[in-house]
Amino acid sequence: ADVPILVGSPGMLAAADAMAFVKEKGMKFPLLLKASFGGGGRGQAVVDKPEDLLEAFSKCSKEAEMSFGRPEVFVERFLPKARHIEVQIVGDGKNCVHIFERDCSVQLRKQKVVELAPSRGMHPELRARI
């Protein structure tokens, strides 16, 4: 589909594994840690420098386990000015259609508070590619 994706790890149980992944992939800080089996901003933290990874990983993992029953955390590149765009797809096992995109970038405490559909400011060519 020629859609750019971020480098991201699988779910991990140890900060040392996360740091090894970051080094192996040549990832730069800041990074985002996220609960592998969560949502709603729970078990999530931005890590600005390598020396903060251990503590942030531990906090995210504990919150993930308390909130979702699973402690796994993954790491990905943090994009401070990213837009949160979601595309709705509906299928019946044979046919699949999209019902356009929505912009969920307006957030409060890492939770969506406003969803705009269709996304304002999206270039028609980008909409067609998506």
Side-chain angles (χ1 to χ4, degrees):
D2 196 29
V3 176
I5 59 170
L6 294 175
V7 173
S9 73
M12 298 182 169
L13 294 169
D17 293 337
M19 185 57 85
F21 180 87
V22 167
K23 288 180 180 176
E24 175 189 326
K25 299 296 183 183
M27 297 174 76
K28 305 251 187 276
F29 286 78
L31 300 172
L32 183 63
L33 299 178
K34 295 175 79 172
S36 296
F37 294 91
R42 307 283 300 176
Q44 182 173 309
V46 176
V47 182
D48 292 312
K49 50 190 188 265
E51 54 268 25
D52 295 340
L53 184 76
L54 179 62
E55 181 180 349
F57 191 96
S58 177
K59 287 172 81 173
C60 287
S61 182
K62 286 176 186 170
E63 186 174 13
E65 186 162 31
M66 287 176 24
S67 299
F68 311 113
R70 300 281 301 262
E72 294 93 334
V73 172
F74 69 90
V75 59
E76 66 184 19
R77 187 172 146 215
F78 176 65
L79 300 174
K81 295 182 181 179
R83 304 297 299 171
H84 179 142
I85 306 294
E86 296 180 359
V87 178
Q88 295 296 120
I89 300 172
V90 180
D92 64 3
K94 295 180 183 178
N95 300 299
C96 184
V97 297
H98 71 87
I99 48 177
F100 299 98
E101 85 291 339
R102 62 182 185 229
D103 189 332
C104 306
S105 299
V106 179
Q107 299 190 10
L108 178 65
R109 291 187 295 277
K110 302 175 191 162
Q111 295 248 358
K112 295 180 281 187
V113 293
V114 175
E115 296 182 2
L116 301 171
S119 176
R120 293 184 300 172
M122 181 175 287
H123 194 282
E125 289 178 16
L126 178 57
R127 182 173 284 118
R129 282 182 49 215
I130 290 173

